[in-house]
PDB file of all heavy atoms in Angstrom:
ATOM      1  N   PHE M  28       3.715   7.420 -10.794  1.00 77.00           N
ATOM      2  CA  PHE M  28       3.503   6.195 -10.011  1.00 77.00           C
ATOM      3  C   PHE M  28       4.592   6.067  -8.953  1.00 77.00           C
ATOM      4  O   PHE M  28       4.325   5.787  -7.791  1.00 77.00           O
ATOM      5  CB  PHE M  28       3.499   4.984 -10.936  1.00 77.00           C
ATOM      6  CG  PHE M  28       3.412   3.669 -10.226  1.00 77.00           C
ATOM      7  CD1 PHE M  28       2.186   3.163  -9.814  1.00 77.00           C
ATOM      8  CD2 PHE M  28       4.550   2.938  -9.948  1.00 77.00           C
ATOM      9  CE1 PHE M  28       2.110   1.946  -9.147  1.00 77.00           C
ATOM     10  CE2 PHE M  28       4.483   1.714  -9.289  1.00 77.00           C
ATOM     11  CZ  PHE M  28       3.248   1.225  -8.892  1.00 77.00           C
ATOM     12  N   TRP M  51       4.981  10.142  24.595  1.00 82.00           N
ATOM     13  CA  TRP M  51       6.192  10.874  24.240  1.00 82.00           C
ATOM     14  C   TRP M  51       6.719  11.628  25.463  1.00 82.00           C
ATOM     15  O   TRP M  51       5.959  12.278  26.172  1.00 82.00           O
ATOM     16  CB  TRP M  51       5.899  11.878  23.130  1.00 82.00           C
ATOM     17  CG  TRP M  51       5.510  11.255  21.822  1.00 82.00           C
ATOM     18  CD1 TRP M  51       4.291  10.810  21.463  1.00 82.00           C
ATOM     19  CD2 TRP M  51       6.362  11.023  20.711  1.00 82.00           C
ATOM     20  NE1 TRP M  51       4.306  10.317  20.182  1.00 82.00           N
ATOM     21  CE2 TRP M  51       5.567  10.447  19.689  1.00 82.00           C
ATOM     22  CE3 TRP M  51       7.725  11.272  20.445  1.00 82.00           C
ATOM     23  CZ2 TRP M  51       6.093  10.081  18.451  1.00 82.00           C
ATOM     24  CZ3 TRP M  51       8.239  10.921  19.199  1.00 82.00           C
ATOM     25  CH2 TRP M  51       7.424  10.336  18.225  1.00 82.00           C
ATOM     26  N   ARG M  52       7.998  11.545  25.703  1.00 83.00           N
ATOM     27  CA  ARG M  52       8.579  12.281  26.837  1.00 83.00           C
ATOM     28  C   ARG M  52      10.091  12.296  26.698  1.00 83.00           C
ATOM     29  O   ARG M  52      10.696  11.468  26.032  1.00 83.00           O
ATOM     30  CB  ARG M  52       8.182  11.622  28.154  1.00 83.00           C
ATOM     31  CG  ARG M  52       8.673  10.195  28.309  1.00 83.00           C
ATOM     32  CD  ARG M  52       8.080   9.539  29.552  1.00 83.00           C
ATOM     33  NE  ARG M  52       8.479   8.146  29.689  1.00 83.00           N
ATOM     34  CZ  ARG M  52       7.992   7.313  30.575  1.00 83.00           C
ATOM     35  NH1 ARG M  52       7.058   7.746  31.416  1.00 83.00           N
ATOM     36  NH2 ARG M  52       8.420   6.079  30.658  1.00 83.00           N
ATOM     37  N   TRP M  76      18.634  -7.863   8.725  1.00 86.00           N
ATOM     38  CA  TRP M  76      17.979  -8.145   7.450  1.00 86.00           C
ATOM     39  C   TRP M  76      16.717  -7.307   7.291  1.00 86.00           C
ATOM     40  O   TRP M  76      16.473  -6.785   6.215  1.00 86.00           O
ATOM     41  CB  TRP M  76      17.638  -9.637   7.389  1.00 86.00           C
ATOM     42  CG  TRP M  76      16.954 -10.020   6.120  1.00 86.00           C
ATOM     43  CD1 TRP M  76      17.526 -10.331   4.925  1.00 86.00           C
ATOM     44  CD2 TRP M  76      15.540 -10.115   5.903  1.00 86.00           C
ATOM     45  NE1 TRP M  76      16.579 -10.614   3.978  1.00 86.00           N
ATOM     46  CE2 TRP M  76      15.340 -10.488   4.551  1.00 86.00           C
ATOM     47  CE3 TRP M  76      14.421  -9.949   6.719  1.00 86.00           C
ATOM     48  CZ2 TRP M  76      14.066 -10.672   4.010  1.00 86.00           C
ATOM     49  CZ3 TRP M  76      13.156 -10.115   6.182  1.00 86.00           C
ATOM     50  CH2 TRP M  76      12.990 -10.488   4.858  1.00 86.00           C
ATOM     51  N   TYR M  82      14.324  -0.622   3.938  1.00 93.00           N
ATOM     52  CA  TYR M  82      14.669   0.616   3.242  1.00 93.00           C
ATOM     53  C   TYR M  82      15.030   0.409   1.771  1.00 93.00           C
ATOM     54  O   TYR M  82      15.203   1.385   1.045  1.00 93.00           O
ATOM     55  CB  TYR M  82      15.827   1.299   3.967  1.00 93.00           C
ATOM     56  CG  TYR M  82      15.371   2.307   5.019  1.00 93.00           C
ATOM     57  CD1 TYR M  82      14.818   1.876   6.218  1.00 93.00           C
ATOM     58  CD2 TYR M  82      15.462   3.673   4.792  1.00 93.00           C
ATOM     59  CE1 TYR M  82      14.387   2.784   7.177  1.00 93.00           C
ATOM     60  CE2 TYR M  82      15.048   4.597   5.752  1.00 93.00           C
ATOM     61  CZ  TYR M  82      14.504   4.129   6.941  1.00 93.00           C
ATOM     62  OH  TYR M  82      14.061   5.027   7.883  1.00 93.00           O
ATOM     63  N   LEU M  93      13.157  10.333  -9.016  1.00 93.00           N
ATOM     64  CA  LEU M  93      14.072  11.387  -9.474  1.00 93.00           C
ATOM     65  C   LEU M  93      14.207  11.411 -10.981  1.00 93.00           C
ATOM     66  O   LEU M  93      14.570  12.460 -11.559  1.00 93.00           O
ATOM     67  CB  LEU M  93      15.446  11.184  -8.829  1.00 93.00           C
ATOM     68  CG  LEU M  93      15.538  11.405  -7.322  1.00 93.00           C
ATOM     69  CD1 LEU M  93      16.907  10.977  -6.818  1.00 93.00           C
ATOM     70  CD2 LEU M  93      15.265  12.849  -6.951  1.00 93.00           C
ATOM     71  N   LEU M 156      11.706   2.346 -17.480  1.00 72.00           N
ATOM     72  CA  LEU M 156      11.419   3.751 -17.742  1.00 72.00           C
ATOM     73  C   LEU M 156      11.940   4.278 -19.074  1.00 72.00           C
ATOM     74  O   LEU M 156      11.696   5.422 -19.407  1.00 72.00           O
ATOM     75  CB  LEU M 156      12.008   4.615 -16.615  1.00 72.00           C
ATOM     76  CG  LEU M 156      11.465   4.366 -15.206  1.00 72.00           C
ATOM     77  CD1 LEU M 156      12.165   5.273 -14.202  1.00 72.00           C
ATOM     78  CD2 LEU M 156       9.963   4.601 -15.155  1.00 72.00           C
ATOM     79  N   ALA M 173      -3.312   6.474 -15.183  1.00 82.00           N
ATOM     80  CA  ALA M 173      -3.568   5.377 -14.240  1.00 82.00           C
ATOM     81  C   ALA M 173      -2.562   5.299 -13.092  1.00 82.00           C
ATOM     82  O   ALA M 173      -2.707   4.427 -12.232  1.00 82.00           O
ATOM     83  CB  ALA M 173      -3.566   4.053 -15.005  1.00 82.00           C
ATOM     84  N   ALA M 204      -9.792   4.639  16.969  1.00 77.00           N
ATOM     85  CA  ALA M 204     -10.461   5.874  17.369  1.00 77.00           C
ATOM     86  C   ALA M 204     -10.960   5.791  18.807  1.00 77.00           C
ATOM     87  O   ALA M 204     -10.907   6.773  19.551  1.00 77.00           O
ATOM     88  CB  ALA M 204     -11.628   6.156  16.413  1.00 77.00           C
ATOM     89  N   LEU M 221     -21.319   1.856  21.352  1.00 63.00           N
ATOM     90  CA  LEU M 221     -22.284   2.964  21.325  1.00 63.00           C
ATOM     91  C   LEU M 221     -23.188   2.874  20.111  1.00 63.00           C
ATOM     92  O   LEU M 221     -24.400   3.141  20.191  1.00 63.00           O
ATOM     93  CB  LEU M 221     -21.543   4.300  21.318  1.00 63.00           C
ATOM     94  CG  LEU M 221     -20.732   4.650  22.571  1.00 63.00           C
ATOM     95  CD1 LEU M 221     -19.986   5.950  22.369  1.00 63.00           C
ATOM     96  CD2 LEU M 221     -21.652   4.750  23.786  1.00 63.00           C
ATOM     97  N   GLU M 227     -26.046  -8.078  20.965  1.00 67.00           N
ATOM     98  CA  GLU M 227     -25.224  -9.251  20.721  1.00 67.00           C
ATOM     99  C   GLU M 227     -25.720  -9.943  19.440  1.00 67.00           C
ATOM    100  O   GLU M 227     -26.885 -10.309  19.348  1.00 67.00           O
ATOM    101  CB  GLU M 227     -25.274 -10.215  21.909  1.00 67.00           C
ATOM    102  CG  GLU M 227     -24.633  -9.663  23.166  1.00 67.00           C
ATOM    103  CD  GLU M 227     -24.589 -10.698  24.267  1.00 67.00           C
ATOM    104  OE1 GLU M 227     -24.986 -11.858  24.009  1.00 67.00           O
ATOM    105  OE2 GLU M 227     -24.181 -10.346  25.389  1.00 67.00           O
ATOM    106  N   ILE M 239     -21.442 -10.024   3.226  1.00 94.00           N
ATOM    107  CA  ILE M 239     -21.707  -8.693   2.657  1.00 94.00           C
ATOM    108  C   ILE M 239     -20.432  -7.855   2.583  1.00 94.00           C
ATOM    109  O   ILE M 239     -20.150  -7.219   1.560  1.00 94.00           O
ATOM    110  CB  ILE M 239     -22.780  -7.954   3.480  1.00 94.00           C
ATOM    111  CG1 ILE M 239     -24.110  -8.724   3.447  1.00 94.00           C
ATOM    112  CG2 ILE M 239     -22.963  -6.523   2.965  1.00 94.00           C
ATOM    113  CD1 ILE M 239     -25.174  -8.156   4.326  1.00 94.00           C
ATOM    114  N   GLY M 247     -15.579  -3.548  -4.841  1.00 95.00           N
ATOM    115  CA  GLY M 247     -14.964  -2.219  -4.901  1.00 95.00           C
ATOM    116  C   GLY M 247     -13.545  -2.259  -5.407  1.00 95.00           C
ATOM    117  O   GLY M 247     -13.128  -1.403  -6.202  1.00 95.00           O
ATOM    118  N   LYS M 258      -9.363  -0.561 -22.910  1.00 88.00           N
ATOM    119  CA  LYS M 258     -10.294  -1.531 -23.477  1.00 88.00           C
ATOM    120  C   LYS M 258      -9.566  -2.762 -24.014  1.00 88.00           C
ATOM    121  O   LYS M 258     -10.162  -3.862 -24.091  1.00 88.00           O
ATOM    122  CB  LYS M 258     -11.087  -0.871 -24.610  1.00 88.00           C
ATOM    123  CG  LYS M 258     -12.024   0.237 -24.132  1.00 88.00           C
ATOM    124  CD  LYS M 258     -12.794   0.841 -25.297  1.00 88.00           C
ATOM    125  CE  LYS M 258     -13.750   1.940 -24.790  1.00 88.00           C
ATOM    126  NZ  LYS M 258     -14.530   2.549 -25.910  1.00 88.00           N
ATOM    127  N   GLY M 301     -18.877 -14.990   0.143  1.00 93.00           N
ATOM    128  CA  GLY M 301     -18.773 -13.652  -0.386  1.00 93.00           C
ATOM    129  C   GLY M 301     -17.965 -13.590  -1.681  1.00 93.00           C
ATOM    130  O   GLY M 301     -18.340 -12.890  -2.624  1.00 93.00           O
ATOM    131  N   ILE M 302     -16.879 -14.356  -1.739  1.00 94.00           N
ATOM    132  CA  ILE M 302     -16.053 -14.370  -2.952  1.00 94.00           C
ATOM    133  C   ILE M 302     -16.840 -15.000  -4.114  1.00 94.00           C
ATOM    134  O   ILE M 302     -16.839 -14.461  -5.241  1.00 94.00           O
ATOM    135  CB  ILE M 302     -14.744 -15.166  -2.709  1.00 94.00           C
ATOM    136  CG1 ILE M 302     -13.859 -14.389  -1.710  1.00 94.00           C
ATOM    137  CG2 ILE M 302     -14.006 -15.390  -4.024  1.00 94.00           C
ATOM    138  CD1 ILE M 302     -12.594 -15.130  -1.338  1.00 94.00           C
ATOM    139  N   PRO M 316     -20.279   1.048 -18.294  1.00 92.00           N
ATOM    140  CA  PRO M 316     -19.457   2.217 -18.586  1.00 92.00           C
ATOM    141  C   PRO M 316     -18.553   2.568 -17.394  1.00 92.00           C
ATOM    142  O   PRO M 316     -18.901   2.268 -16.237  1.00 92.00           O
ATOM    143  CB  PRO M 316     -20.480   3.337 -18.850  1.00 92.00           C
ATOM    144  CG  PRO M 316     -21.757   2.623 -19.178  1.00 92.00           C
ATOM    145  CD  PRO M 316     -21.733   1.351 -18.403  1.00 92.00           C
ATOM    146  N   LEU M 334     -20.235  -0.799   7.441  1.00 90.00           N
ATOM    147  CA  LEU M 334     -20.607  -2.078   8.057  1.00 90.00           C
ATOM    148  C   LEU M 334     -19.428  -2.638   8.883  1.00 90.00           C
ATOM    149  O   LEU M 334     -19.644  -3.162   9.983  1.00 90.00           O
ATOM    150  CB  LEU M 334     -20.999  -3.075   6.973  1.00 90.00           C
ATOM    151  CG  LEU M 334     -21.711  -4.343   7.444  1.00 90.00           C
ATOM    152  CD1 LEU M 334     -22.974  -3.998   8.228  1.00 90.00           C
ATOM    153  CD2 LEU M 334     -22.045  -5.248   6.258  1.00 90.00           C
ATOM    154  N   ALA M 337     -19.355  -0.760  12.154  1.00 85.00           N
ATOM    155  CA  ALA M 337     -20.576  -0.803  12.943  1.00 85.00           C
ATOM    156  C   ALA M 337     -20.768  -2.157  13.624  1.00 85.00           C
ATOM    157  O   ALA M 337     -21.480  -2.257  14.618  1.00 85.00           O
ATOM    158  CB  ALA M 337     -21.800  -0.514  12.061  1.00 85.00           C
ATOM    159  N   ILE M 348      -6.894 -13.743  17.845  1.00 66.00           N
ATOM    160  CA  ILE M 348      -5.869 -12.706  17.801  1.00 66.00           C
ATOM    161  C   ILE M 348      -5.002 -12.729  19.033  1.00 66.00           C
ATOM    162  O   ILE M 348      -3.886 -12.207  19.032  1.00 66.00           O
ATOM    163  CB  ILE M 348      -6.530 -11.310  17.633  1.00 66.00           C
ATOM    164  CG1 ILE M 348      -5.536 -10.309  17.046  1.00 66.00           C
ATOM    165  CG2 ILE M 348      -7.050 -10.789  18.946  1.00 66.00           C
ATOM    166  CD1 ILE M 348      -5.171 -10.584  15.619  1.00 66.00           C
TER     167      ILE M 348
END
Side-chain angles (χ1 to χ4, degrees):
F28 175 83
W51 294 82
R52 61 188 178 188
W76 179 84
Y82 268 73
L93 292 172
L156 298 179
L221 294 177
E227 293 186 6
I239 298 174
K258 294 181 179 180
I302 293 175
L334 194 57
I348 202 69

